[in-house]
Amino acid sequence: MAAKIYTVTSGKGGTGKSVFAVNLAAALAGLAKRTLLIDVDLGMADIGLMLGLDNNKITLHEVLAGEANVEDAIYDGPNGLKVLPCGLSLQGFKKADISRLTDVIAEVSPNFEFIIIDTATGINHATAASIEVCDEVLLVLTPEITSIANGSKMKVFSALLGKEVTGMVLNRTMPEHAEAYREKLFKSVDIEILEMLPEDVSIPNSIAGKSPVVVKYPYSEISIAMNRLAASLSGIKMPESGEEKGRIKQKNEKKNRAGVKLPFVQPKN
Ligand SMILES: Nc1ncnc2c1ncn2[C@@H]1O[C@H](COP(=O)(O)OP(=O)(O)O)[C@@H](O)[C@H]1O
Ligand SMILES: [Mg+2]
């Protein structure tokens, strides 16, 4: 069976793509899903730094350069997550041949249930290749007009590559403005909001600790939201609060995601 491949992108930089990709992947792994996280930000790779895997010599750069086998560039992350980081050097950026990405992913795909691809900011060849190879595109946007405009453009770009955007994760939100985001800011944007992630100091703290927030602060609001999304993408039904029930039910029905129905499991520390 091939893995389900999600590409995380945004258009605008600094919206939280890498933070989201790391935490979605760790949350899926925490649900005992065989998950691979790949950093396809070839010029400004952050995943290795975020997970303390930045000292490894063999990375996606070497694999895309044809100098290394992909299995030698996959490392152990938290919760049993597997990580294919990208190197930090500009020589690595120069030698990487993005046209190899499809073959690399085809090689690893049978070994995983989920592959999460983190991308660079903006429209570029590596992001195009990451969208072309995926099953679903997830946008990470912030509640700012520039982020929304860039996200809308990314939706068009995805469509040009033959991929629909599954939905957006709205990051760095203020919970008291949740309805205003839905009613005003995003009313005209035809992209479903899958989750809202609050502005939370646990994010910079977890990055400093080289650990995903879902591992370091598993009971924070942001971790609960990440786990809820991971459960939803896995087809796992979890207990819902009264207010959320209707919305989540509607969302799940709409998505019609197939899969096993297991009790929700919190990842272990
Ligand atoms: N929900 C959040 N709360 C607080 N800080 C956040 C949140 N999401 C992201 N950040 C911060 O925003 C910065 C950019 O995040 P990053 O994931 O690197 O963005 P991108 O990959 O889209 O460029 C990071 O320094 C991170 O600490
Ligand atoms: Mg990034």
Side-chain angles (χ1 to χ4, degrees):
M1 261 280 280
K4 178 107 179 186
I5 304 172
Y6 287 93
T7 288
V8 177
T9 189
S10 67
K12 189 171 167 58
T15 60
K17 291 180 293 297
S18 299
V19 164
F20 172 76
V22 163
N23 281 285
L24 176 63
L28 286 164
L31 293 169
K33 299 291 171 191
R34 284 176 288 117
T35 306
L36 175 67
L37 172 63
I38 309 180
D39 192 349
V40 187
D41 189 342
L42 303 182
M44 300 280 173
D46 282 343
I47 299 289
L49 289 167
M50 285 178 169
L51 294 175
L53 297 171
D54 48 306
N55 280 329
N56 295 300
K57 295 266 179 294
I58 301 178
T59 73
L60 184 63
H61 277 159
E62 285 61 46
V63 176
L64 291 179
E67 294 173 1
N69 294 321
V70 64
E71 62 264 30
D72 296 329
I74 294 178
Y75 301 92
D76 289 329
N79 282 349
L81 174 68
K82 300 288 179 186
V83 185
L84 174 41
C86 192
L88 304 181
S89 78
L90 290 178
Q91 291 95 318
F93 172 75
K94 204 170 161 208
K95 71 185 176 185
D97 176 0
I98 194 64
S99 71
R100 288 199 165 100
L101 185 71
T102 311
D103 287 345
V104 168
I105 290 186
E107 194 177 334
V108 293
S109 179
N111 302 329
F112 294 95
E113 289 165 277
F114 289 96
I115 294 178
I116 308 298
I117 300 178
D118 185 30
T119 62
T121 289
I123 285 176
N124 53 69
H125 291 301
T127 299
S130 303
I131 291 173
E132 277 179 320
V133 81
C134 81
D135 298 303
E136 301 201 21
V137 178
L138 298 176
L139 296 182
V140 180
L141 306 184
T142 56
E144 292 164 288
I145 195 75
T146 46
S147 171
I148 299 164
N150 290 188
S152 298
K153 201 182 278 180
M154 198 47 98
K155 186 183 170 185
V156 176
F157 185 57
S158 298
L160 289 173
L161 298 167
K163 295 292 152 74
E164 244 186 78
V165 166
T166 300
M168 74 167 95
V169 171
L170 196 51
N171 189 24
R172 309 196 78 154
T173 59
M174 286 185 267
E176 63 271 28
H177 294 158
E179 279 317 304
Y181 298 142
R182 279 185 204 287
E183 294 303 320
K184 297 202 180 104
L185 208 49
F186 287 92
K187 204 163 188 174
S188 57
V189 185
D190 186 24
I191 308 172
E192 186 185 358
I193 300 175
L194 301 174
E195 277 296 341
M196 292 197 197
L197 306 179
E199 175 75 26
D200 191 337
V201 72
S202 66
I203 293 292
N205 286 346
S206 67
I207 293 173
K210 302 196 173 212
S211 178
V213 71
V214 294
V215 173
K216 197 166 169 60
Y217 303 106
Y219 301 109
S220 65
E221 280 298 317
I222 206 158
S223 294
I224 290 166
M226 291 300 320
N227 282 314
R228 185 166 50 217
L229 182 61
S232 165
L233 298 181
S234 307
I236 294 174
K237 203 163 169 50
M238 57 183 284
E240 298 142 14
S241 72
E243 201 183 310
E244 286 281 273
K245 215 171 186 167
R247 194 173 68 76
I248 292 174
K249 188 161 175 257
Q250 259 184 356
K251 195 171 79 184
N252 286 345
E253 278 166 4
K254 192 170 170 193
K255 292 282 153 212
N256 191 24
R257 296 188 192 286
V260 286
K261 297 238 186 308
L262 297 171
F264 177 67
V265 189
Q266 275 286 356
K268 292 187 186 79
N269 272 320

